[in-house]
Amino acid sequence: CSSDLRNIITSRILLSEKIIDMEGATEDERYEAARHKIDVILLATKYGFPGTDQQLFQFCEDLKTKRSNKLSRLSRLTLFQLMFSGVAEGNSDEAVTMMTDEMFDILKLPDPDADVFQAVSNGLAALQQGRHIDSLAQALTRVGTVFQDSSQPEIASQAQNYLDIAATVELKFGDKLEELVKQKSDQAAKELIEIAGELIKRRTTTGMLALLSNCILVLESGERMQEATQLRNAIEEGYGAAEDAELKRRVANVVAKAKRRADMLGNPYELKAVVHDGSAFDWSKYQGKVVLVFFWTATSEASMTELANARQFYLRNKKDGFEVVGVNLDTDPRILQEFFKLNSLPFVNVVNEPESAKGFDSPLAVAHGVDSLPSAVLVGRDGTVIERLSPMVTPEEIQARMSELL
């Protein structure tokens, strides 16, 4: 097999070289042939063939002599990406400096295209993996600034995300959030809210809204409801002047869900939906029982893990008056149909009305404040909400809580 693979790789490399040197080949044909050779050499590297790093380096040097702007750019981008491994492994500051200097020079190339964006994005990933935080913040800002007005919507959107992340890295938002989760200190919570306020002043974007919305959920899961409310209010005020209709809709959605979650504890709970097979659902049948209302999708791996736990909870505790109601939020009904062709659930599963919005924009998600999955609500025998259960709560903690209630 190794011999066969070597022969295939060798023949592909030779074919690429012939096209590159062929009289009459267009610049685009030479470019595609050169890219193919690079991909083949990288494949050989993956399979442990010796000498491939030097072979790739020499090929890129040879490309510089072809008097082609496209081939010269390809050579430079490839050599740039050879710098990544040492940086990703957290090697010396010198390696980081060399890579970031080359990244910034590449960003100065005329008409930076999708290949340039992909290369520098890979460089950002290497900086993040190696935890070179200061260099990462600077690089994110440079890349985001260059590409934020790209004519390609996907690239422009990702560039905006880079600028959002750059702001959070610069202000150490993630570090402070991690500190709060681990230490649960009042000071960490106070500082986190201050940083969030500064982020809102800098970046009222969709990406920043998503980051801050997730922060609300983390605060809620840590029972920091006062700070969660402060952040919710800051989002509502800070984004109040937004002119983009879609952004305003998302802000309203985030705020409404956060308010719903804040008002839920201790109040009566009601679930209006239809069973996944189209039959009617009657929430009144669950009166007098402890009920776990579990929100999930078949496309979420975390949901699948927690769904298995919910099944175990139900089978273990149903004799004591415990029930589970699954609430599916898949955006495509066919996904749920395929799930039930292969699986069965011992408890009722409900969905939104057929013609309503799906996913996190659906009536069920909005009405119950669901902004992430998996998510669950524990309802007591008196019909009021006892607890919202976040993914940070372990199955053992949930079982202990239910044992108390039952």
Side-chain angles (χ1 to χ4, degrees):
C1 290
S2 177
S3 176
D4 290 342
L5 182 58
R6 184 183 298 275
N7 290 335
I8 291 171
I9 288 174
T10 301
S11 64
R12 286 177 175 267
I13 288 175
L14 290 173
L15 177 61
S16 297
E17 290 173 347
K18 285 183 178 180
I19 294 174
I20 293 170
D21 296 326
M22 185 172 63
E23 185 177 349
T26 66
E27 185 178 38
D28 286 344
E29 289 170 341
R30 289 192 173 98
Y31 176 79
E32 291 302 326
R35 286 192 62 166
H36 182 71
K37 179 175 177 178
I38 290 169
D39 290 341
V40 172
I41 296 175
L42 290 174
L43 179 65
T45 303
K46 177 182 177 182
Y47 282 99
F49 284 44
T52 52
D53 285 345
Q54 182 58 37
Q55 184 181 9
L56 183 57
F57 178 82
Q58 187 58 54
F59 176 58
C60 289
E61 290 296 317
D62 292 342
L63 285 179
K64 295 178 182 180
T65 68
K66 300 298 182 181
R67 297 182 181 178
S68 163
N69 289 335
K70 290 189 71 172
L71 292 180
S72 177
R73 176 177 291 202
L74 176 63
S75 168
R76 188 168 185 179
L77 293 180
T78 303
L79 291 172
F80 169 61
Q81 294 186 78
L82 292 179
M83 299 177 175
F84 294 170
S85 59
V87 172
E89 291 166 4
N91 286 0
S92 69
D93 292 340
E94 182 180 358
V96 174
T97 300
M98 288 179 61
M99 194 200 84
T100 52
D101 285 349
E102 177 63 5
M103 179 189 291
F104 298 159
D105 282 343
I106 286 173
L107 289 171
K108 296 176 184 177
L109 290 171
D111 302 321
D113 56 12
D115 288 338
V116 171
F117 183 74
Q118 184 60 59
V120 295
S121 293
N122 291 340
L124 294 175
L127 289 170
Q128 182 177 19
Q129 187 175 341
R131 298 191 65 79
H132 305 289
I133 303 304
D134 292 338
S135 296
L136 176 62
Q138 187 180 11
L140 283 163
T141 300
R142 291 281 192 96
V143 176
T145 301
V146 169
F147 286 98
Q148 63 181 331
D149 297 320
S150 170
S151 60
Q152 300 184 47
E154 291 184 1
I155 291 179
S157 175
Q158 185 59 54
Q160 290 290 346
N161 288 339
Y162 287 160
L163 292 171
D164 291 335
I165 298 170
T168 65
V169 172
E170 180 185 341
L171 295 175
K172 302 188 183 305
F173 178 74
D175 293 343
K176 191 57 62 177
L177 188 61
E178 184 177 354
E179 179 184 336
L180 175 61
V181 170
K182 290 181 177 179
Q183 299 181 8
K184 304 184 185 302
S185 71
D186 292 342
Q187 184 61 30
K190 178 182 177 182
E191 292 175 2
L192 183 69
I193 295 301
E194 291 174 352
I195 293 173
E198 180 60 29
L199 288 172
I200 293 172
K201 290 179 183 177
R202 293 190 186 188
R203 303 280 302 167
T204 50
T205 62
T206 301
M208 186 60 71
L209 176 64
L211 288 169
L212 296 174
S213 174
N214 183 64
C215 182
I216 292 178
L217 294 172
V218 173
L219 289 167
E220 290 172 351
S221 65
E223 299 183 354
R224 312 292 310 206
M225 297 307 296
Q226 180 178 346
E227 289 84 0
T229 300
Q230 290 174 350
L231 180 52
R232 182 191 77 205
N233 292 338
I235 290 173
E236 189 171 21
E237 180 180 351
Y239 280 80
E243 296 181 358
D244 182 78
E246 175 60 17
L247 179 57
K248 291 182 72 171
R249 185 193 68 80
R250 294 191 181 198
V251 171
N253 203 341
V254 167
V255 170
K257 288 181 179 181
K259 287 181 178 178
R260 173 63 181 132
R261 293 193 299 270
D263 296 339
M264 191 176 288
L265 293 178
N267 287 316
Y269 191 82
E270 185 175 7
L271 184 59
K272 296 180 180 180
V274 294
V275 180
H276 76 276
D277 61 8
S279 58
F281 174 73
D282 186 0
W283 174 247
S284 66
K285 291 182 178 179
Y286 294 87
Q287 290 182 357
K289 297 181 179 181
V290 175
V291 187
L292 180 71
V293 181
F294 177 74
F295 297 85
W296 65 286
T297 65
T299 53
S300 163
E301 185 176 344
S303 286
M304 290 296 94
T305 299
E306 296 303 325
L307 190 64
N309 289 332
R311 182 196 297 268
Q312 292 179 9
F313 295 150
Y314 176 74
L315 296 176
R316 186 184 305 150
N317 300 291
K318 64 177 182 178
K319 64 181 184 301
D320 298 318
F322 174 70
E323 290 286 347
V324 173
V325 178
V327 183
N328 181 266
L329 298 178
D330 276 303
T331 56
D332 187 344
R334 292 172 295 184
I335 295 174
L336 187 61
Q337 292 170 7
E338 288 300 316
F339 173 85
F340 278 110
K341 284 181 181 178
L342 302 173
N343 304 275
S344 62
L345 293 176
F347 47 78
V348 171
N349 185 80
V350 300
V351 295
N352 286 280
E353 294 285 349
E355 302 303 320
S356 60
K358 306 299 180 186
F360 290 128
D361 289 330
S362 67
L364 283 173
V366 174
H368 300 278
V370 179
D371 243 346
S372 67
L373 294 174
S375 179
V377 176
L378 195 58
V379 181
R381 294 185 188 277
D382 62 354
T384 63
V385 175
I386 298 172
E387 193 171 352
R388 283 191 59 86
L389 303 172
S390 75
M392 298 172 67
V393 180
T394 67
E396 291 75 19
E397 289 173 327
I398 297 175
Q399 179 60 55
R401 189 77 178 97
M402 289 192 301
S403 296
E404 293 175 11
L405 296 170
L406 295 171

mmCIF file of all heavy atoms in Angstrom, residues 346-362:
data_model
loop_
_atom_site.group_PDB
_atom_site.id
_atom_site.type_symbol
_atom_site.label_atom_id
_atom_site.label_comp_id
_atom_site.label_asym_id
_atom_site.label_seq_id
_atom_site.Cartn_x
_atom_site.Cartn_y
_atom_site.Cartn_z
ATOM 1 N N PRO A 346 -39.089 7.129 25.379
ATOM 2 C CA PRO A 346 -40.127 6.611 26.269
ATOM 3 C C PRO A 346 -41.056 7.691 26.799
ATOM 4 O O PRO A 346 -41.988 7.394 27.538
ATOM 5 C CB PRO A 346 -39.315 5.976 27.406
ATOM 6 C CG PRO A 346 -38.057 6.784 27.458
ATOM 7 C CD PRO A 346 -37.765 7.154 26.026
ATOM 8 N N PHE A 347 -40.785 8.946 26.450
ATOM 9 C CA PHE A 347 -41.620 10.055 26.912
ATOM 10 C C PHE A 347 -42.075 10.885 25.714
ATOM 11 O O PHE A 347 -41.587 10.732 24.591
ATOM 12 C CB PHE A 347 -40.852 10.929 27.913
ATOM 13 C CG PHE A 347 -39.458 11.282 27.482
ATOM 14 C CD1 PHE A 347 -39.217 12.284 26.544
ATOM 15 C CD2 PHE A 347 -38.372 10.587 28.001
ATOM 16 C CE1 PHE A 347 -37.936 12.603 26.145
ATOM 17 C CE2 PHE A 347 -37.077 10.905 27.600
ATOM 18 C CZ PHE A 347 -36.859 11.911 26.667
ATOM 19 N N VAL A 348 -43.017 11.777 25.957
ATOM 20 C CA VAL A 348 -43.604 12.589 24.889
ATOM 21 C C VAL A 348 -42.595 13.627 24.395
ATOM 22 O O VAL A 348 -41.845 14.217 25.180
ATOM 23 C CB VAL A 348 -44.879 13.302 25.397
ATOM 24 C CG1 VAL A 348 -45.377 14.328 24.385
ATOM 25 C CG2 VAL A 348 -45.961 12.279 25.701
ATOM 26 N N ASN A 349 -42.597 13.823 23.089
ATOM 27 C CA ASN A 349 -41.763 14.863 22.497
ATOM 28 C C ASN A 349 -42.658 15.803 21.696
ATOM 29 O O ASN A 349 -43.457 15.364 20.864
ATOM 30 C CB ASN A 349 -40.712 14.258 21.578
ATOM 31 C CG ASN A 349 -39.755 15.315 21.061
ATOM 32 O OD1 ASN A 349 -38.828 15.717 21.755
ATOM 33 N ND2 ASN A 349 -39.974 15.774 19.834
ATOM 34 N N VAL A 350 -42.527 17.122 21.944
ATOM 35 C CA VAL A 350 -43.377 18.105 21.269
ATOM 36 C C VAL A 350 -42.538 18.993 20.356
ATOM 37 O O VAL A 350 -41.316 19.082 20.486
ATOM 38 C CB VAL A 350 -44.154 18.971 22.273
ATOM 39 C CG1 VAL A 350 -45.045 18.102 23.152
ATOM 40 C CG2 VAL A 350 -43.208 19.807 23.131
ATOM 41 N N VAL A 351 -43.240 19.684 19.443
ATOM 42 C CA VAL A 351 -42.598 20.582 18.488
ATOM 43 C C VAL A 351 -43.455 21.824 18.320
ATOM 44 O O VAL A 351 -44.566 21.918 18.851
ATOM 45 C CB VAL A 351 -42.411 19.892 17.112
ATOM 46 C CG1 VAL A 351 -41.454 18.722 17.210
ATOM 47 C CG2 VAL A 351 -43.762 19.446 16.552
ATOM 48 N N ASN A 352 -42.928 22.793 17.547
ATOM 49 C CA ASN A 352 -43.692 23.981 17.209
ATOM 50 C C ASN A 352 -44.797 23.643 16.216
ATOM 51 O O ASN A 352 -44.772 22.595 15.563
ATOM 52 C CB ASN A 352 -42.764 25.032 16.586
ATOM 53 C CG ASN A 352 -41.872 25.701 17.605
ATOM 54 O OD1 ASN A 352 -42.291 26.599 18.316
ATOM 55 N ND2 ASN A 352 -40.616 25.252 17.681
ATOM 56 N N GLU A 353 -45.757 24.532 16.098
ATOM 57 C CA GLU A 353 -46.770 24.386 15.059
ATOM 58 C C GLU A 353 -46.089 24.336 13.690
ATOM 59 O O GLU A 353 -45.074 25.012 13.481
ATOM 60 C CB GLU A 353 -47.756 25.555 15.099
ATOM 61 C CG GLU A 353 -48.609 25.623 16.350
ATOM 62 C CD GLU A 353 -49.707 24.566 16.359
ATOM 63 O OE1 GLU A 353 -49.923 23.925 15.305
ATOM 64 O OE2 GLU A 353 -50.344 24.395 17.411
ATOM 65 N N PRO A 354 -46.611 23.574 12.739
ATOM 66 C CA PRO A 354 -45.937 23.354 11.447
ATOM 67 C C PRO A 354 -45.546 24.623 10.698
ATOM 68 O O PRO A 354 -44.481 24.685 10.089
ATOM 69 C CB PRO A 354 -46.958 22.533 10.657
ATOM 70 C CG PRO A 354 -47.770 21.840 11.702
ATOM 71 C CD PRO A 354 -47.840 22.785 12.854
ATOM 72 N N GLU A 355 -46.382 25.652 10.711
ATOM 73 C CA GLU A 355 -46.116 26.844 9.910
ATOM 74 C C GLU A 355 -45.342 27.930 10.646
ATOM 75 O O GLU A 355 -45.116 29.002 10.106
ATOM 76 C CB GLU A 355 -47.453 27.429 9.405
ATOM 77 C CG GLU A 355 -48.281 26.455 8.579
ATOM 78 C CD GLU A 355 -47.509 25.922 7.381
ATOM 79 O OE1 GLU A 355 -46.783 26.716 6.739
ATOM 80 O OE2 GLU A 355 -47.613 24.720 7.093
ATOM 81 N N SER A 356 -44.933 27.663 11.875
ATOM 82 C CA SER A 356 -44.258 28.703 12.657
ATOM 83 C C SER A 356 -42.760 28.717 12.366
ATOM 84 O O SER A 356 -42.227 27.827 11.707
ATOM 85 C CB SER A 356 -44.487 28.464 14.148
ATOM 86 O OG SER A 356 -43.960 27.201 14.530
ATOM 87 N N ALA A 357 -42.061 29.752 12.875
ATOM 88 C CA ALA A 357 -40.608 29.850 12.722
ATOM 89 C C ALA A 357 -39.942 28.679 13.438
ATOM 90 O O ALA A 357 -40.537 28.055 14.318
ATOM 91 C CB ALA A 357 -40.118 31.178 13.291
ATOM 92 N N LYS A 358 -38.701 28.402 13.045
ATOM 93 C CA LYS A 358 -38.005 27.247 13.594
ATOM 94 C C LYS A 358 -36.787 27.681 14.396
ATOM 95 O O LYS A 358 -36.388 28.834 14.391
ATOM 96 C CB LYS A 358 -37.572 26.308 12.458
ATOM 97 C CG LYS A 358 -38.694 25.882 11.533
ATOM 98 C CD LYS A 358 -39.792 25.129 12.254
ATOM 99 C CE LYS A 358 -40.903 24.706 11.302
ATOM 100 N NZ LYS A 358 -42.052 24.103 12.025
ATOM 101 N N GLY A 359 -36.179 26.699 15.067
ATOM 102 C CA GLY A 359 -34.941 26.945 15.787
ATOM 103 C C GLY A 359 -35.108 27.913 16.942
ATOM 104 O O GLY A 359 -36.137 27.962 17.613
ATOM 105 N N PHE A 360 -34.084 28.756 17.165
ATOM 106 C CA PHE A 360 -34.116 29.693 18.278
ATOM 107 C C PHE A 360 -35.081 30.850 18.048
ATOM 108 O O PHE A 360 -35.356 31.619 18.966
ATOM 109 C CB PHE A 360 -32.704 30.235 18.551
ATOM 110 C CG PHE A 360 -31.766 29.208 19.120
ATOM 111 C CD1 PHE A 360 -30.530 28.981 18.540
ATOM 112 C CD2 PHE A 360 -32.117 28.474 20.229
ATOM 113 C CE1 PHE A 360 -29.659 28.048 19.059
ATOM 114 C CE2 PHE A 360 -31.260 27.526 20.771
ATOM 115 C CZ PHE A 360 -30.021 27.307 20.180
ATOM 116 N N ASP A 361 -35.569 31.010 16.816
ATOM 117 C CA ASP A 361 -36.570 32.042 16.535
ATOM 118 C C ASP A 361 -37.994 31.513 16.667
ATOM 119 O O ASP A 361 -38.951 32.262 16.471
ATOM 120 C CB ASP A 361 -36.376 32.592 15.113
ATOM 121 C CG ASP A 361 -35.119 33.432 14.995
ATOM 122 O OD1 ASP A 361 -34.728 34.048 15.998
ATOM 123 O OD2 ASP A 361 -34.534 33.465 13.901
ATOM 124 N N SER A 362 -38.143 30.255 16.983
ATOM 125 C CA SER A 362 -39.471 29.649 17.033
ATOM 126 C C SER A 362 -40.241 30.116 18.263
ATOM 127 O O SER A 362 -39.656 30.567 19.253
ATOM 128 C CB SER A 362 -39.337 28.121 17.072
ATOM 129 O OG SER A 362 -38.750 27.711 18.305
#
